[in-house]
Amino acid sequence: MDLLSPLSAIVLTYREVDTDTLGKIGEAMRKCLEQMGRGTPIYVLHTCGRVEAYLYGASPEEVQTVAETYRKYVDSVRIIAGVEAARHLFRVAAGLDSMLIGETDVLGQLEEAFDRQVRAGYTRGLLKTIVERAVRVGKRVRTETAISRGPRGLGSLSIIYVSRLLDLRQAKVAVLGAGAVGAGLAMELAARGVKKLYILNRTLEKAKEVAAKTGGEARPLTKEEVERCLRECDVVFSSVHSMEYIIDKIPEGVSVKVVVDLGVPQTVAPGLPVKVVRIEDLREIAEQYNAERVSEIAKAEAIVEEELAILPKLLARRYIEETVSTFIETAMLAAEEEGARAGCNTATLAARTTVKRILLPLVERLKKMAEDGQIEEAVKLAQMLSQTIGRKI
Protein backbone atom coordinates (compact mmCIF):
# COMPACT_ATOMS: atom_id res chain seq x y z
CA MET A 1 0.00 0.00 0.00
CA ASP A 2 1.55 3.28 -1.15
CA LEU A 3 0.29 5.94 1.24
CA LEU A 4 1.94 8.72 -0.76
CA SER A 5 0.12 7.96 -4.00
CA PRO A 6 -3.09 9.80 -2.93
CA LEU A 7 -1.11 13.06 -2.54
CA SER A 8 -1.51 15.69 -5.28
CA ALA A 9 -0.06 19.18 -5.62
CA ILE A 10 -0.98 22.04 -7.94
CA VAL A 11 2.01 24.38 -8.14
CA LEU A 12 2.60 27.87 -9.51
CA THR A 13 5.60 30.04 -8.57
CA TYR A 14 7.34 33.34 -9.26
CA ARG A 15 9.19 31.62 -12.12
CA GLU A 16 6.02 31.32 -14.19
CA VAL A 17 3.99 34.45 -13.39
CA ASP A 18 4.32 37.92 -11.91
CA THR A 19 3.44 38.82 -8.34
CA ASP A 20 0.14 40.45 -9.26
CA THR A 21 -1.10 37.24 -10.88
CA LEU A 22 0.07 35.21 -7.88
CA GLY A 23 -1.89 37.53 -5.63
CA LYS A 24 -5.09 37.13 -7.62
CA ILE A 25 -4.74 33.35 -7.71
CA GLY A 26 -3.98 33.32 -3.99
CA GLU A 27 -7.22 35.16 -3.27
CA ALA A 28 -9.15 32.76 -5.52
CA MET A 29 -7.57 29.79 -3.74
CA ARG A 30 -8.62 31.18 -0.37
CA LYS A 31 -12.23 30.87 -1.51
CA CYS A 32 -11.54 27.44 -3.03
CA LEU A 33 -10.05 26.32 0.30
CA GLU A 34 -13.19 27.30 2.15
CA GLN A 35 -15.38 25.47 -0.36
CA MET A 36 -13.38 22.23 -0.53
CA GLY A 37 -11.84 22.06 2.92
CA ARG A 38 -14.72 20.31 4.65
CA GLY A 39 -14.60 17.46 2.16
CA THR A 40 -11.20 16.47 0.80
CA PRO A 41 -8.19 17.26 3.05
CA ILE A 42 -6.41 20.26 1.55
CA TYR A 43 -3.51 22.58 2.39
CA VAL A 44 -2.85 25.86 0.55
CA LEU A 45 0.42 27.78 0.73
CA HIS A 46 0.30 31.36 -0.58
CA THR A 47 3.43 33.49 -0.28
CA CYS A 48 5.02 36.28 -2.29
CA GLY A 49 6.69 33.59 -4.42
CA ARG A 50 4.10 30.87 -4.87
CA VAL A 51 0.55 29.58 -4.66
CA GLU A 52 0.40 25.83 -4.05
CA ALA A 53 -2.45 23.50 -3.15
CA TYR A 54 -1.91 20.04 -1.68
CA LEU A 55 -4.77 17.52 -1.60
CA TYR A 56 -4.94 14.03 -0.15
CA GLY A 57 -7.27 11.38 -1.53
CA ALA A 58 -8.79 13.76 -4.06
CA SER A 59 -10.46 12.40 -7.17
CA PRO A 60 -9.06 13.38 -10.59
CA GLU A 61 -12.11 15.62 -10.98
CA GLU A 62 -11.37 17.41 -7.70
CA VAL A 63 -7.75 17.97 -8.69
CA GLN A 64 -8.89 19.44 -12.00
CA THR A 65 -11.40 21.66 -10.21
CA VAL A 66 -8.57 23.22 -8.21
CA ALA A 67 -6.37 23.46 -11.30
CA GLU A 68 -9.16 25.32 -13.12
CA THR A 69 -9.06 27.97 -10.39
CA TYR A 70 -5.48 28.66 -11.48
CA ARG A 71 -6.25 28.45 -15.20
CA LYS A 72 -8.62 31.39 -14.97
CA TYR A 73 -5.46 33.50 -14.68
CA VAL A 74 -2.72 31.44 -16.38
CA ASP A 75 -2.56 29.15 -19.41
CA SER A 76 -0.96 26.21 -17.63
CA VAL A 77 -0.19 24.95 -14.16
CA ARG A 78 2.02 22.16 -12.87
CA ILE A 79 0.35 19.14 -11.26
CA ILE A 80 2.54 16.61 -9.44
CA ALA A 81 1.61 13.60 -7.36
CA GLY A 82 2.85 11.00 -4.91
CA VAL A 83 6.42 11.10 -3.70
CA GLU A 84 7.29 13.94 -6.10
CA ALA A 85 4.62 16.14 -4.51
CA ALA A 86 6.02 15.38 -1.05
CA ARG A 87 9.57 16.05 -2.25
CA HIS A 88 8.48 19.41 -3.65
CA LEU A 89 6.84 20.45 -0.37
CA PHE A 90 9.92 19.38 1.62
CA ARG A 91 12.16 21.42 -0.72
CA VAL A 92 9.88 24.44 -0.38
CA ALA A 93 10.05 24.19 3.42
CA ALA A 94 13.84 23.91 3.20
CA GLY A 95 14.04 27.10 1.13
CA LEU A 96 15.48 25.22 -1.84
CA ASP A 97 12.77 26.39 -4.22
CA SER A 98 12.83 30.08 -3.25
CA MET A 99 14.18 33.11 -5.10
CA LEU A 100 16.60 33.48 -2.17
CA ILE A 101 17.81 29.96 -1.43
CA GLY A 102 17.52 29.05 2.23
CA GLU A 103 15.21 31.94 3.11
CA THR A 104 13.52 31.58 6.50
CA ASP A 105 10.40 33.60 5.68
CA VAL A 106 8.85 30.76 3.68
CA LEU A 107 9.13 28.34 6.61
CA GLY A 108 7.31 30.76 8.90
CA GLN A 109 4.63 31.32 6.27
CA LEU A 110 4.26 27.57 5.73
CA GLU A 111 3.86 26.97 9.45
CA GLU A 112 1.41 29.85 9.92
CA ALA A 113 -0.78 28.58 7.06
CA PHE A 114 -0.61 25.06 8.48
CA ASP A 115 -1.69 26.11 11.98
CA ARG A 116 -4.53 28.19 10.60
CA GLN A 117 -5.82 25.48 8.26
CA VAL A 118 -5.56 22.71 10.86
CA ARG A 119 -7.66 24.81 13.25
CA ALA A 120 -10.20 25.34 10.47
CA GLY A 121 -10.36 21.60 9.86
CA TYR A 122 -9.08 21.78 6.27
CA THR A 123 -5.69 20.09 6.77
CA ARG A 124 -6.13 16.78 8.57
CA GLY A 125 -5.39 13.08 8.52
CA LEU A 126 -2.35 11.91 6.60
CA LEU A 127 -2.03 15.27 4.83
CA LYS A 128 -1.54 16.86 8.24
CA THR A 129 1.27 14.39 8.93
CA ILE A 130 2.95 15.22 5.60
CA VAL A 131 2.87 19.00 6.18
CA GLU A 132 4.01 18.56 9.80
CA ARG A 133 7.01 16.65 8.51
CA ALA A 134 7.74 19.37 5.96
CA VAL A 135 7.95 21.90 8.80
CA ARG A 136 10.38 19.58 10.60
CA VAL A 137 12.48 19.27 7.43
CA GLY A 138 12.64 23.06 7.13
CA LYS A 139 13.83 23.42 10.71
CA ARG A 140 16.40 20.62 10.35
CA VAL A 141 17.89 22.19 7.23
CA ARG A 142 18.32 25.55 8.92
CA THR A 143 19.75 23.99 12.08
CA GLU A 144 22.14 21.51 10.47
CA THR A 145 23.37 23.60 7.52
CA ALA A 146 24.47 27.18 6.96
CA ILE A 147 22.10 27.66 4.03
CA SER A 148 20.23 30.48 5.81
CA ARG A 149 23.26 32.39 7.03
CA GLY A 150 22.89 36.02 5.96
CA PRO A 151 19.68 37.56 4.56
CA ARG A 152 16.60 35.74 5.86
CA GLY A 153 14.23 36.53 3.02
CA LEU A 154 12.96 39.06 0.53
CA GLY A 155 12.45 41.59 3.31
CA SER A 156 16.15 41.36 4.14
CA LEU A 157 17.07 41.73 0.47
CA SER A 158 14.89 44.82 0.17
CA ILE A 159 16.69 46.42 3.12
CA ILE A 160 20.05 45.65 1.51
CA TYR A 161 18.77 47.17 -1.74
CA VAL A 162 17.64 50.37 -0.02
CA SER A 163 20.84 50.61 2.03
CA ARG A 164 22.73 50.93 -1.26
CA LEU A 165 20.62 53.98 -2.12
CA LEU A 166 20.78 55.91 1.15
CA ASP A 167 22.10 55.78 4.71
CA LEU A 168 19.42 54.05 6.77
CA ARG A 169 21.01 55.26 10.00
CA GLN A 170 19.96 58.78 9.04
CA ALA A 171 16.56 57.76 7.70
CA LYS A 172 13.04 57.84 9.05
CA VAL A 173 11.36 54.58 8.00
CA ALA A 174 7.79 53.28 8.03
CA VAL A 175 6.71 49.64 7.76
CA LEU A 176 3.14 49.04 6.60
CA GLY A 177 1.93 45.72 7.99
CA ALA A 178 2.90 43.91 11.17
CA GLY A 179 2.54 40.32 10.02
CA ALA A 180 5.43 37.85 9.70
CA VAL A 181 7.16 39.81 6.92
CA GLY A 182 6.45 43.25 8.40
CA ALA A 183 7.61 42.24 11.86
CA GLY A 184 10.80 40.80 10.35
CA LEU A 185 11.42 44.02 8.46
CA ALA A 186 10.94 46.07 11.61
CA MET A 187 13.36 43.90 13.59
CA GLU A 188 16.09 44.17 10.95
CA LEU A 189 15.60 47.90 10.45
CA ALA A 190 15.84 48.44 14.20
CA ALA A 191 19.01 46.35 14.30
CA ARG A 192 20.49 48.57 11.59
CA GLY A 193 19.83 51.58 13.79
CA VAL A 194 17.42 53.60 11.66
CA LYS A 195 16.83 57.14 12.90
CA LYS A 196 13.09 56.67 13.46
CA LEU A 197 10.81 53.67 12.89
CA TYR A 198 7.03 53.64 12.47
CA ILE A 199 4.89 50.46 12.43
CA LEU A 200 1.44 50.67 10.83
CA ASN A 201 -1.14 47.91 10.99
CA ARG A 202 -4.90 47.53 10.63
CA THR A 203 -4.99 46.02 14.11
CA LEU A 204 -3.25 48.66 16.19
CA GLU A 205 -2.50 46.25 19.05
CA LYS A 206 -0.39 44.13 16.71
CA ALA A 207 1.51 47.25 15.62
CA LYS A 208 2.11 48.09 19.28
CA GLU A 209 3.51 44.59 19.93
CA VAL A 210 6.04 44.96 17.13
CA ALA A 211 6.83 48.56 18.10
CA ALA A 212 7.53 47.48 21.69
CA LYS A 213 10.11 44.96 20.44
CA THR A 214 11.80 47.37 18.05
CA GLY A 215 11.62 50.74 19.78
CA GLY A 216 9.35 52.01 17.02
CA GLU A 217 6.15 54.01 17.11
CA ALA A 218 2.82 52.26 16.40
CA ARG A 219 0.21 53.86 14.18
CA PRO A 220 -3.08 52.63 12.69
CA LEU A 221 -2.99 51.62 9.04
CA THR A 222 -5.32 54.24 7.57
CA LYS A 223 -5.17 56.31 4.40
CA GLU A 224 -4.43 59.39 6.47
CA GLU A 225 -1.58 57.76 8.40
CA VAL A 226 -0.05 56.32 5.24
CA GLU A 227 -0.02 59.81 3.71
CA ARG A 228 1.48 61.16 6.91
CA CYS A 229 4.32 58.63 6.68
CA LEU A 230 4.95 59.59 3.06
CA ARG A 231 5.29 63.20 4.20
CA GLU A 232 7.55 62.46 7.18
CA CYS A 233 9.62 59.41 6.20
CA ASP A 234 12.50 58.80 3.82
CA VAL A 235 11.54 55.17 3.13
CA VAL A 236 8.23 53.29 3.29
CA PHE A 237 8.06 49.48 3.16
CA SER A 238 4.70 47.90 2.32
CA SER A 239 4.16 44.26 3.34
CA VAL A 240 0.38 44.45 3.50
CA HIS A 241 -1.94 41.89 1.91
CA SER A 242 -4.56 43.88 0.03
CA MET A 243 -6.50 43.59 -3.21
CA GLU A 244 -6.35 47.39 -3.55
CA TYR A 245 -3.42 49.79 -3.68
CA ILE A 246 -2.30 51.01 -0.26
CA ILE A 247 -0.28 53.78 -1.91
CA ASP A 248 -1.96 55.12 -5.04
CA LYS A 249 -0.51 58.64 -5.15
CA ILE A 250 2.39 60.70 -3.85
CA PRO A 251 1.30 64.09 -2.45
CA GLU A 252 3.39 67.16 -3.24
CA GLY A 253 6.12 68.21 -0.85
CA VAL A 254 6.67 64.76 0.70
CA SER A 255 9.94 63.51 2.19
CA VAL A 256 9.73 59.92 0.90
CA LYS A 257 12.57 58.97 -1.44
CA VAL A 258 12.01 55.20 -1.78
CA VAL A 259 8.91 53.02 -1.53
CA VAL A 260 9.37 49.24 -1.28
CA ASP A 261 6.44 47.07 -2.35
CA LEU A 262 6.56 43.50 -1.02
CA GLY A 263 2.82 43.01 -1.44
CA VAL A 264 1.28 40.14 -3.42
CA PRO A 265 -0.55 41.44 -5.35
CA GLN A 266 1.25 44.76 -5.58
CA THR A 267 0.07 47.40 -3.11
CA VAL A 268 1.84 50.39 -4.66
CA ALA A 269 0.39 51.84 -7.87
CA PRO A 270 2.58 52.00 -10.98
CA GLY A 271 3.83 55.25 -12.45
CA LEU A 272 4.36 57.14 -9.20
CA PRO A 273 6.91 60.01 -9.15
CA VAL A 274 9.19 58.24 -6.66
CA LYS A 275 11.61 55.31 -6.67
CA VAL A 276 9.54 52.13 -6.21
CA VAL A 277 11.34 48.86 -5.44
CA ARG A 278 9.38 45.70 -6.25
CA ILE A 279 10.04 42.00 -5.65
CA GLU A 280 11.33 41.54 -9.22
CA ASP A 281 14.05 44.11 -8.53
CA LEU A 282 15.52 41.88 -5.81
CA ARG A 283 16.43 38.94 -8.04
CA GLU A 284 19.96 40.14 -8.83
CA ILE A 285 20.81 40.51 -5.12
CA ALA A 286 19.23 37.12 -4.43
CA GLU A 287 21.47 35.49 -7.04
CA GLN A 288 24.53 37.01 -5.40
CA TYR A 289 23.71 35.38 -2.08
CA ASN A 290 22.59 32.14 -3.74
CA ALA A 291 26.08 31.78 -5.18
CA GLU A 292 27.49 31.97 -1.66
CA ARG A 293 25.15 29.20 -0.47
CA VAL A 294 25.92 26.65 -3.18
CA SER A 295 28.07 24.52 -0.88
CA GLU A 296 25.17 24.11 1.55
CA ILE A 297 22.58 23.11 -1.04
CA ALA A 298 23.81 19.52 -1.32
CA LYS A 299 23.59 19.13 2.47
CA ALA A 300 20.03 20.45 2.45
CA GLU A 301 19.04 18.18 -0.44
CA ALA A 302 20.45 15.19 1.46
CA ILE A 303 18.28 16.04 4.49
CA VAL A 304 15.22 16.28 2.24
CA GLU A 305 15.90 12.82 0.79
CA GLU A 306 16.59 11.35 4.22
CA GLU A 307 13.29 12.65 5.56
CA LEU A 308 11.48 11.54 2.42
CA ALA A 309 12.69 7.98 3.00
CA ILE A 310 11.31 8.07 6.55
CA LEU A 311 7.93 9.50 5.54
CA PRO A 312 6.21 6.24 4.40
CA LYS A 313 6.82 4.65 7.82
CA LEU A 314 5.42 7.70 9.60
CA LEU A 315 2.36 7.64 7.39
CA ALA A 316 1.92 3.92 8.00
CA ARG A 317 1.89 4.46 11.78
CA ARG A 318 -0.55 7.31 11.42
CA TYR A 319 -2.79 5.30 9.10
CA ILE A 320 -3.00 2.48 11.63
CA GLU A 321 -3.74 4.98 14.42
CA GLU A 322 -6.66 6.35 12.42
CA THR A 323 -7.90 2.87 11.50
CA VAL A 324 -7.88 1.55 15.08
CA SER A 325 -9.14 4.73 16.76
CA THR A 326 -12.77 3.76 16.14
CA PHE A 327 -12.59 0.36 17.79
CA ILE A 328 -10.58 1.74 20.72
CA GLU A 329 -13.27 4.36 21.28
CA THR A 330 -15.94 1.65 21.03
CA ALA A 331 -14.13 -0.56 23.52
CA MET A 332 -13.68 2.35 25.96
CA LEU A 333 -17.36 3.19 25.71
CA ALA A 334 -18.22 -0.42 26.51
CA ALA A 335 -15.88 -0.31 29.52
CA GLU A 336 -17.58 2.82 30.82
CA GLU A 337 -21.01 1.23 30.39
CA GLU A 338 -19.92 -1.84 32.34
CA GLY A 339 -18.49 0.37 35.07
CA ALA A 340 -21.77 2.29 35.24
CA ARG A 341 -23.68 -0.98 35.66
CA ALA A 342 -21.42 -1.82 38.58
CA GLY A 343 -22.40 1.50 40.10
CA CYS A 344 -19.02 2.94 41.11
CA ASN A 345 -16.16 4.96 39.66
CA THR A 346 -13.61 2.35 40.73
CA ALA A 347 -15.27 -0.25 38.52
CA THR A 348 -15.25 2.15 35.56
CA LEU A 349 -11.57 2.90 36.05
CA ALA A 350 -10.78 -0.81 36.33
CA ALA A 351 -12.71 -1.58 33.14
CA ARG A 352 -10.95 1.17 31.19
CA THR A 353 -7.55 0.06 32.50
CA THR A 354 -8.27 -3.51 31.43
CA VAL A 355 -9.21 -2.41 27.93
CA LYS A 356 -6.00 -0.40 27.62
CA ARG A 357 -3.84 -3.29 28.87
CA ILE A 358 -5.37 -5.61 26.29
CA LEU A 359 -5.68 -3.35 23.26
CA LEU A 360 -2.70 -0.99 23.38
CA PRO A 361 -0.07 -3.74 22.91
CA LEU A 362 -2.08 -4.94 19.91
CA VAL A 363 -2.16 -1.44 18.48
CA GLU A 364 1.61 -1.01 18.93
CA ARG A 365 2.14 -4.34 17.21
CA LEU A 366 0.01 -3.24 14.28
CA LYS A 367 1.98 0.01 14.03
CA LYS A 368 5.23 -1.92 14.00
CA MET A 369 3.92 -4.21 11.25
CA ALA A 370 2.97 -1.17 9.17
CA GLU A 371 6.40 0.42 9.69
CA ASP A 372 8.05 -2.83 8.58
CA GLY A 373 6.17 -2.74 5.28
CA GLN A 374 3.30 -5.03 6.22
CA ILE A 375 0.73 -2.26 5.83
CA GLU A 376 -1.96 -4.34 4.09
CA GLU A 377 -1.73 -7.07 6.71
CA ALA A 378 -1.83 -4.58 9.57
CA VAL A 379 -4.83 -2.79 8.11
CA LYS A 380 -6.75 -6.04 7.58
CA LEU A 381 -6.12 -7.07 11.20
CA ALA A 382 -7.17 -3.62 12.45
CA GLN A 383 -10.34 -3.72 10.40
CA MET A 384 -11.11 -7.24 11.60
CA LEU A 385 -10.65 -6.18 15.23
CA SER A 386 -12.87 -3.15 14.68
CA GLN A 387 -15.62 -5.24 13.09
CA THR A 388 -15.38 -7.96 15.75
CA ILE A 389 -15.52 -5.56 18.68
CA GLY A 390 -18.33 -3.64 17.03
CA ARG A 391 -20.44 -6.80 16.58
CA LYS A 392 -19.88 -7.99 20.13
CA ILE A 393 -20.85 -4.63 21.57
Side-chain angles (χ1 to χ4, degrees):
M1 179 181 290
D2 182 2
L3 294 175
L4 278 173
S5 61
L7 178 66
S8 301
I10 301 94
V11 175
L12 191 69
T13 75
Y14 66 93
R15 297 183 184 89
E16 294 84 37
V17 296
D18 57 41
T19 53
D20 263 3
T21 303
L22 281 175
K24 293 173 183 176
I25 295 173
E27 182 64 18
M29 281 306 303
R30 182 186 64 78
K31 299 175 182 177
C32 182
L33 178 67
E34 294 171 354
Q35 293 169 356
M36 293 190 63
R38 300 299 179 185
T40 301
I42 183 172
Y43 170 72
V44 174
L45 177 63
H46 175 207
T47 74
C48 58
R50 66 192 63 250
V51 180
E52 302 183 352
Y54 295 83
L55 301 95
Y56 194 87
S59 67
E61 292 76 19
E62 288 175 318
V63 173
Q64 288 304 317
T65 295
V66 176
E68 285 303 318
T69 302
Y70 286 70
R71 292 189 183 114
K72 293 176 183 177
Y73 303 92
V74 294
D75 294 331
S76 62
V77 65
R78 185 157 53 113
I79 300 176
I80 50 180
V83 67
E84 287 305 317
R87 177 178 283 112
H88 178 78
L89 179 59
F90 282 15
R91 295 186 78 254
V92 169
L96 290 167
D97 196 61
S98 298
M99 182 189 298
L100 175 64
I101 293 174
E103 63 154 322
T104 57
D105 287 349
V106 70
L107 180 58
Q109 293 164 331
L110 191 153
E111 196 165 11
E112 284 181 4
F114 173 69
D115 291 342
R116 185 170 61 251
Q117 292 171 42
V118 168
R119 288 195 302 270
Y122 304 145
T123 306
R124 58 191 184 277
L126 296 188
L127 180 59
K128 179 173 178 284
T129 301
I130 293 169
V131 183
E132 279 177 333
R133 202 65 185 183
V135 172
R136 184 183 188 281
V137 170
K139 291 179 178 178
R140 266 198 70 190
V141 165
R142 289 164 180 82
T143 300
E144 298 178 22
T145 76
I147 200 168
S148 297
R149 187 171 296 165
R152 62 188 297 274
L154 296 184
S156 299
L157 294 183
S158 70
I159 293 174
I160 293 171
Y161 189 107
V162 173
S163 70
R164 295 176 180 178
L165 301 176
L166 51 82
D167 185 357
L168 284 171
R169 293 171 298 179
Q170 301 300 318
K172 294 181 180 180
V173 183
V175 176
L176 312 184
V181 175
L185 279 167
M187 295 294 287
E188 290 193 46
L189 288 165
R192 280 180 172 262
V194 295
K195 184 176 181 179
K196 183 67 177 179
L197 180 62
Y198 302 97
I199 317 297
L200 282 69
N201 198 61
R202 293 189 181 97
T203 304
L204 185 57
E205 287 304 314
K206 181 64 175 176
K208 288 180 178 179
E209 289 178 17
V210 176
K213 296 176 182 177
T214 59
E217 178 183 320
R219 293 179 177 179
L221 181 58
T222 63
K223 186 174 183 179
E224 293 74 20
E225 288 295 343
V226 171
E227 184 172 325
R228 181 183 172 190
C229 285
L230 292 172
R231 292 186 183 281
E232 297 177 355
C233 295
D234 301 289
V235 187
V236 174
F237 291 82
S238 177
S239 65
V240 181
H241 174 70
S242 174
M243 300 307 293
E244 299 178 351
Y245 291 134
I246 298 298
I247 301 176
D248 58 3
K249 63 179 180 179
I250 302 295
E252 292 184 5
V254 299
S255 295
V256 69
K257 301 175 181 65
V258 182
V259 176
V260 179
D261 186 5
L262 298 177
V264 179
Q266 294 176 354
T267 58
V268 178
L272 298 181
V274 68
K275 172 68 175 178
V276 177
V277 180
R278 303 190 189 275
I279 291 174
E280 291 82 0
D281 299 321
L282 305 177
R283 293 195 183 192
E284 184 176 342
I285 298 178
E287 288 302 322
Q288 293 172 11
Y289 284 96
N290 289 345
E292 297 176 4
R293 297 176 177 184
V294 168
S295 62
E296 300 300 309
I297 292 176
K299 299 175 186 177
E301 295 282 13
I303 291 173
V304 167
E305 293 304 316
E306 180 185 326
E307 291 284 348
L308 204 59
I310 296 170
L311 186 58
K313 292 184 178 181
L314 298 175
L315 293 178
R317 282 185 65 90
R318 180 59 183 158
Y319 186 85
I320 291 299
E321 288 172 353
E322 291 186 352
T323 302
V324 303
S325 62
T326 301
F327 80 72
I328 290 178
E329 290 174 6
T330 303
M332 285 297 184
L333 179 61
E336 290 175 0
E337 290 175 351
E338 291 301 319
R341 290 192 186 98
C344 67
N345 292 334
T346 302
T348 300
L349 180 61
R352 288 176 60 87
T353 301
T354 300
V355 167
K356 288 181 181 179
R357 289 182 62 187
I358 293 173
L359 292 184
L360 292 185
L362 290 174
V363 171
E364 288 303 315
R365 177 57 182 162
L366 292 173
K367 290 180 184 177
K368 186 65 168 61
M369 288 177 63
E371 283 185 352
D372 292 341
Q374 298 174 281
I375 300 176
E376 288 85 351
E377 294 87 341
V379 170
K380 287 179 182 178
L381 286 171
Q383 291 173 340
M384 182 176 66
L385 282 170
S386 182
Q387 293 166 1
T388 301
I389 290 175
R391 282 199 300 269
K392 287 187 177 181
I393 293 173

